[in-house]
Amino acid sequence: MVVPELGPWRAARPHVVRIADAVRPRFARAAETVRPRLTRLAAAVGPRFTRPERPSSPRVARPKTWQFTATAATAGLALAAGVVTAAGPWDSSGQRTAERDRAVALEAARGADHGGARAHAGTPPRGPQAAPPAASVLTGLGGTATTVRSAPGGKALTGVLDPLLNTPALGRRSAAVVDVATGERLYGTGAGDALTPASTTKIATAVAALSALGADHRLTTRAVYEPDTKEVVLVGGGDPTLTAREEAQGLASLRDLAERTAAALAKRGVREVTLSYDTTLYKGGTIHPIGVNPNLAAVTPLMADEARTDGSTSGPAPRVPDPAADAARTFGDLLKEHGVKATPPGPSKSTTRASTLATVSSPPLAALVERMLTHSDNDLAEALARHTALATGKPADFAGAGEAITVRLKQLGLPVKGADVKDGSGLDRRDRLSADLLTALLVKAGDPAHPELRPALTGLPVAGFTGTLAGRYADGAAGVVRAKTGTLTGVNTLAGTVVDKDGRLLAFAFLANGTGGPAAAQSALDKAATALAACGCR
C-alpha cells in the first residue's frame, strides 16, 4: 500500500521513522480489526489528523520480511492515530476502551470463560457487550501467555541487562525477569533481596484486595435514620472515590445519596434532622507515618473526592484536614437543597435500630484497582488495604492492613520471605518487597486459574501513554512496556510486563535503593525495560 506523505510530517520524517521502528509491528493487526471504522472516520474528518492524547495499539510479533520506507512509517503512525480515535478513549476508571474492544473482537472465543461474571477482566463494558475472557485480556496487554516461540535464554538476558543495571545510578538492586507462561525466572540479580519498593507496593495491595474481596465487590456509603433521636447518620463505607461533583462519571454520588435520603425522609414526614457521621469502620490513627502530605488525605472511611480542594482527580493536591466532617457538611448542604433542614454534623455511631434511608456504591473493585495502579492513587491504595484487613479478620488500621496483605499473598502461594508491608500505598519507607515477589504477583495475576486478579495487569500504566508512565519512553518502548512505577527519595522502582520481539510475555521487576539521583535512576530503569522489549535473547 502506498499512501501520499502528509505535508506536516515531512520535517519530522527522521523522528517518525525512529518511532515507527519501535511500534510498527503492532499496527498490522490493529488495522485489520478497525479498517471499516477507519474508512468511515476518514470520510468524516478528511485529510487532517489530530493525534489523540492517549493512543495505543497492542504489539504483535514482528513480520520477518517487511521493509518500511519513511512514507510507509508516516502512514503507519497516521493509521495508529485513526485506530485509537475510532475505537474510543480511556474509560474513566483506567481501562482503555480501545484495548478492551479489540481484545473481544480478536479472541472472543478463546481463553478461560468467566461465566458471564462482570468485572473479572477489568472494567465492565458499558452495554450488552460481554466481558473479555482472560486470554483476550492478555492479548490486549501486547501478547498472549502462550506462544510457539521459546522464552529468552538466561545467559543472553544477563548479557543484555547486566550492563544496564550494574550502574552506580541504581545503588543497591533487586531485579528479576520471569516468563509469564511458565513462571520460570529467566534472569535475576539479588532477586530475593527485600528492598524498599515505593509505589510498586500497590501491585501487592491490588492482588491481595482482589483475592480477599473479589473483582465485583463494591464499597457502599449509607445514610441511616435513628427513629428515637430523629438523627440521620452518614455512614462511611471506605470509598475515597465518593464524589460531590455534579458529574459523577460512574462514581458513587453524594448528590444522589442526598436526594434519595431527602425523598425517604419526606415519605416519613420528616423535614428537620440532626445530622451525624460514622467513621467507625476503620480503627487507629488517620495520619500516615509520613505525616500530613499532599500525596495522601487523612485515612478515613468517609470522604468526598479524596478530600481534594483544588478540583484535581489524581496526583498531589491540598487536602481538607478532616475529610469526614467536610463530606458530612457537604451532605447537609445538599439535604437543604432538597427541603431537609440539618444541624451542623458531628461524629456519632449508627445503632442496630437504625433503618437505611439510601445507599450509593462505588464502581466494582476491578475498576478501582485499575484506577489505583494507573494513577498511583495513594488514597485508594490505603482504602483497599483496609478493606483487605476487614475481609481477612484483621484490624482496619495501618498495621492490620499490612498484615492482611501479607497473609493473602501467602495464601496464594507467593514468595513472601523477607516481605514487610507497612501500608497499602508504598509511601512508608519501611516497606520491604523483593523482585521475586513482585514478578510472582504479576505471574499470578495472569494465571488462568485466577481471573479475578486480572485487573492487577490491565491497570498497569502504559509506557508513553497513560498514568505515571505517560511522560516516559517517548523514544523507547512506548505502548509496549506496562509497569507500575515507584519513587521516593533515594528509591526508584519499576515492575510490570513486556512482550519481547518474539511475542513472549515477560514479567519484570527492577528495584533500586540508594539511588544517586531520580533522573539518572529512572533513565537506567527505562533503558533496561526497553532493552527487554527489544530482546529475542536466544
Side-chain angles (χ1 to χ4, degrees):
M1 178 180 70
V2 177
V3 179
E5 184 175 3
L6 301 178
W9 290 99
R10 278 194 198 96
R13 180 182 300 184
H15 183 66
V16 165
V17 172
R18 186 169 62 253
I19 297 175
D21 284 341
V23 302
R24 68 192 183 213
R26 303 193 300 277
F27 296 158
R29 284 170 55 189
E32 292 302 319
T33 302
V34 301
R35 187 182 302 276
R37 282 192 291 182
L38 185 59
T39 301
R40 293 195 299 271
L41 178 71
V45 302
R48 296 180 58 190
F49 258 107
T50 300
R51 184 179 184 273
E53 288 184 359
R54 294 185 174 121
S56 175
S57 296
R59 185 188 184 204
V60 297
R62 180 190 300 269
K64 293 182 179 179
T65 60
W66 283 16
Q67 301 295 323
F68 278 69
T69 64
T71 299
T74 300
L77 287 177
L79 174 61
V83 167
V84 178
T85 303
W90 270 63
D91 292 343
S92 60
S93 62
Q95 172 79 5
R96 287 179 302 168
T97 304
E99 177 177 287
R100 185 191 63 224
D101 289 353
R102 180 169 176 266
V104 172
L106 288 175
E107 297 199 26
R110 292 174 54 183
D113 187 358
H114 290 174
R118 291 173 62 83
H120 280 188
T123 305
R126 295 192 182 110
Q129 175 183 15
S136 293
V137 174
L138 290 179
T139 299
L141 286 169
T144 62
T146 58
T147 176
V148 296
R149 300 300 297 268
S150 61
K155 290 184 179 180
L157 274 178
T158 298
V160 169
L161 293 178
D162 271 359
L164 298 173
L165 296 175
N166 292 337
T167 170
L170 293 181
R172 186 185 176 194
R173 299 169 296 282
S174 178
V177 176
V178 174
D179 179 22
V180 173
T182 65
E184 177 188 0
R185 190 173 78 194
L186 308 174
Y187 171 84
T189 177
D193 296 343
L195 303 182
T196 303
S199 277
T200 54
T201 300
K202 293 182 176 72
I203 299 174
T205 302
V207 169
L210 290 164
S211 171
L213 301 164
D216 296 322
H217 184 77
R218 298 173 187 261
L219 312 180
T220 300
T221 305
R222 298 182 295 136
V224 303
Y225 184 67
E226 298 283 358
D228 297 339
T229 59
K230 292 187 177 180
E231 179 184 11
V232 171
V233 183
L234 182 61
V235 183
D239 177 14
T241 68
L242 176 70
T243 182
R245 296 186 175 97
E246 291 186 4
E247 297 294 332
Q249 296 184 338
L251 303 175
S253 171
L254 195 62
R255 292 174 179 271
D256 286 351
L257 184 63
E259 182 179 4
R260 296 175 194 174
T261 299
L265 290 170
K267 291 182 179 179
R268 298 169 184 258
V270 177
R271 289 297 182 183
E272 187 170 344
V273 297
T274 299
L275 180 60
S276 302
Y277 58 92
D278 184 346
T279 60
T280 58
L281 182 66
Y282 294 169
K283 307 298 181 185
T286 63
I287 303 300
H288 190 279
I290 64 172
V292 177
N293 191 287
N295 287 292
L296 179 69
V299 183
T300 171
L302 178 62
M303 64 174 67
D305 299 302
E306 297 184 337
R308 296 171 181 270
T309 64
D310 63 356
S312 63
T313 58
S314 64
R319 316 296 181 108
V320 298
D322 189 341
D326 181 73
R329 283 192 294 269
T330 301
F331 184 69
D333 293 340
L334 293 169
L335 285 177
K336 291 177 185 178
E337 292 179 6
H338 293 284
V340 177
K341 183 179 180 181
T343 64
S348 183
K349 177 176 171 52
S350 62
T351 70
T352 56
R353 298 186 302 277
S355 57
T356 298
L357 295 170
T359 65
V360 289
S361 294
S362 72
L365 185 63
L368 298 181
V369 163
E370 288 184 330
R371 171 172 167 161
M372 174 188 70
L373 293 172
T374 297
H375 300 293
S376 200
D377 192 316
N378 296 308
D379 300 282
L380 254 177
E382 297 302 345
L384 296 187
R386 276 164 170 69
H387 281 282
T388 302
L390 291 168
T392 310
K394 304 294 182 182
D397 55 17
F398 283 106
E403 185 179 355
I405 290 171
T406 304
V407 167
R408 299 304 305 190
L409 301 189
K410 187 175 183 179
Q411 290 175 347
L412 287 169
L414 298 170
V416 298
K417 182 179 180 180
D420 192 359
V421 182
K422 299 295 186 183
D423 64 0
S425 62
L427 289 173
D428 196 318
R429 301 182 68 88
R430 298 173 297 166
D431 287 327
R432 295 291 184 271
L433 297 177
S434 66
D436 271 345
L437 177 54
L438 285 169
T439 50
L441 285 162
L442 296 165
V443 170
K444 185 66 70 172
D447 187 345
H450 291 279
E452 76 281 2
L453 304 182
R454 202 73 74 245
L457 292 180
T458 58
L460 292 173
V462 181
F465 294 125
T466 61
T468 54
L469 285 183
R472 293 164 67 168
Y473 296 88
D475 295 318
V480 180
V481 172
R482 296 167 181 248
K484 183 71 199 74
T485 58
T487 307
L488 296 171
T489 302
V491 176
N492 291 85
T493 60
L494 191 68
T497 63
V498 65
V499 179
D500 72 7
K501 73 174 186 179
D502 292 320
R504 197 78 179 189
L505 182 64
L506 307 176
F508 69 91
F510 305 142
L511 292 84
N513 287 187
T515 56
Q522 177 178 297
S523 176
L525 296 180
D526 288 352
K527 287 178 180 178
T530 298
L532 192 58
C535 185
C537 300
R538 287 175 177 80

